[in-house]
Amino acid sequence: MTHQNAEHSSRFGTGSEAGADVPDANDNRRQVLYWRLLARLFDHEEQPALESASLAVVEDIGLPSALLDPGASVDSVVQRHPELAPEFDGLMTPALEEDGARDRAAEVRRAALASKVLLNVFASGSGTVTAEQLARWQSDAEWFERALGCRPGELRGGRGSAGRAGAGGGGGVSPTGTGVGGPAPDLSRLIPAIGPELGSIEAGLVKRMHLREVLADPALAARLTPSMSLIEQLLRDKDNLSGVALANAKALIRRYVDEVTEVLRTQVEKSTVGELDRSVPPKRVFRNLDIDRTIWKNLTNWSPEEERLYVDRLYYRHTSRKTTPQRLIVVVDQSGSMVDSMVNCTILASIFAGLPKVDVHLIAYDTQALDLTPWAHDPFETLLRTKLGGGTDGTVAMALAQPKIAEPRNTVVVWISDFYEWRHQELFDSMAAVHRSGAKFIPVGSVTSSGRGSVNPWFRERFKDLGAPVISGHIKKLVHELKTFLT
């Protein structure tokens, strides 16, 4: 064998010794699909060579060519090929093989399906967006969330599968499943802050809509799926709407509020409320029957001959609980950056307002403060009375909140803001005074499904030193804090 032939044999793996270095055809196929995805995302011009190569790969592995059509939604693909629907669940969080071996053929198939979802979600285009295009993107985003092992809507708004319930328009296969069925994976290390990025894309699409014209047309408005981005835009623009457009805007806000309320109410109701009150006789119903205690107390009636226990008295568990009247004061910064937290906490306040012996007060502020306590039980009416944007002066809100603290030991003050205040020292001093009075003071920087939010580091450090660190992250954190104090 000549030196050149030996070199050729070694480079391309035709020799027996180099067999282990032969590139796997499936690796090449997977690379073609991902190179096409990157080209589509970052280059507006189509790459014919990558397109034709990707088409050959997709057809060769038995998948429909519609996966490569940028204009086709995942819904439309699944509608025509329903057998693909289960493959999207947990698509991007595959389980490892027991023996640690890689199934390269399966990796190519996953690459084709994942490329479809990623391209539809992250290549959002430019120019004016129609209601139908927004609805299609929201549907594709839900398939993307399912591919990550989450429930549809979970990463963007925390609404779970309720997010698209009753959504108008379209007869396609709607991704209203529950993801892979198990607990949602921890994506923080794999894809940091993916939820906020999805929300940012959605917000950009909403801003590119001619929203007023869409709302004025009932048929187009019916195609809109309420989301946090859409609700923020509606709240900003509500004063400029009237007639049919205003009615449609209110209907969308109401739908979203009801969906989030359902999710948050479940979280609030998960734990018990208060200490057992043994001064109240237990209800004599079967569900309260204390089997173990009943047997123990009647053991003296055991008959060895008959092997039977005679019961003279039944014992029941106490279920009534002591509840001390508590006052919850929620202060909400109306600036646009806090809209996500404002919506969640306004709804949360209404839920706690429905609990026994919890007195809820609600204050919204920018440079002026507004007492919304009469509407605290109805988050829909509360949100309609808010006004997003403008500066912030927390001292005006504190002037309304402090007189409400009649019994500090039984009062919790939740302050929701990014804390970028122009009278920061004066405001912090008054907050520290509330904390020292014995009231529970909870500063909230951001409570969303994603936890994205900026908090003034000057306030953050001082709250930490005060022993009242800023809550920032999932809404469940605030739910836990409030339940611990109020119940």
Side-chain angles (χ1 to χ4, degrees), residues 196-410:
E197 293 308 320
L198 289 176
S200 178
I201 295 173
E202 186 173 23
L205 293 171
V206 171
K207 289 178 181 177
R208 284 158 50 193
M209 290 179 66
H210 293 306
L211 190 55
R212 296 181 192 177
E213 288 80 353
V214 171
L215 291 172
D217 186 331
L220 292 177
R223 297 181 181 179
L224 293 175
T225 299
S227 64
M228 184 59 74
S229 300
L230 182 59
I231 296 308
E232 177 179 354
Q233 197 64 28
L234 293 175
L235 292 175
R236 290 183 185 278
D237 208 32
K238 65 181 185 299
D239 292 335
N240 299 317
L241 301 176
S242 61
V244 175
L246 181 59
N248 286 330
K250 287 183 176 180
L252 285 167
I253 295 173
R254 170 65 79 180
R255 264 176 63 192
Y256 186 80
V257 166
D258 289 346
E259 290 169 2
V260 178
T261 300
E262 181 181 350
V263 175
L264 292 182
R265 180 175 287 114
T266 300
Q267 295 178 11
V268 172
E269 292 174 350
K270 277 183 179 178
S271 70
T272 56
V273 180
E275 266 183 52
L276 287 175
D277 188 353
R278 300 191 180 276
S279 66
V280 179
K283 290 185 179 179
R284 296 177 177 272
V285 293
F286 179 74
R287 69 172 180 272
N288 292 339
L289 182 62
D290 190 336
I291 300 292
D292 292 340
R293 190 168 178 232
T294 297
I295 293 174
W296 177 257
K297 290 289 187 179
N298 288 277
L299 281 178
T300 54
N301 299 328
W302 169 254
S303 173
E305 295 81 11
E306 300 178 64
E307 294 187 348
R308 179 173 298 183
L309 178 67
Y310 290 92
V311 176
D312 292 335
R313 179 183 173 185
L314 297 174
Y315 291 84
Y316 296 86
R317 297 186 184 90
H318 290 266
T319 56
S320 296
R321 297 182 177 271
K322 295 179 181 179
T323 54
T324 304
Q326 307 283 9
R327 176 163 291 187
L328 170 62
I329 302 172
V330 181
V331 183
V332 184
D333 175 354
Q334 292 187 107
S335 62
S337 61
M338 297 303 298
V339 63
D340 202 337
S341 294
M342 184 184 72
V343 170
N344 279 302
C345 292
T346 299
I347 294 171
L348 197 58
S350 72
I351 295 172
F352 277 100
L355 296 180
K357 297 186 179 181
V358 178
D359 180 24
V360 176
H361 293 253
L362 185 60
I363 298 170
Y365 76 97
D366 42 32
T367 55
Q368 296 180 326
L370 180 63
D371 192 342
L372 297 172
T373 301
W375 301 279
H377 65 284
D378 190 339
F380 173 71
E381 290 295 333
T382 299
L383 290 173
L384 291 183
R385 285 167 170 78
T386 58
K387 183 179 181 181
L388 300 183
T392 53
D393 183 2
T395 59
V396 296
M398 183 60 78
L400 276 181
Q402 280 183 319
K404 296 177 179 288
I405 307 175
E407 299 180 26
R409 295 293 177 185
N410 295 327

Side-chain angles (χ1 to χ4, degrees), residues 446-465:
S446 173
V447 282
T448 66
S449 60
S450 56
R452 190 184 206 181
S454 172
V455 176
N456 187 339
W458 188 92
F459 270 92
R460 184 186 291 276
E461 288 301 316
R462 280 156 180 78
F463 283 139
K464 184 178 179 180
D465 294 340

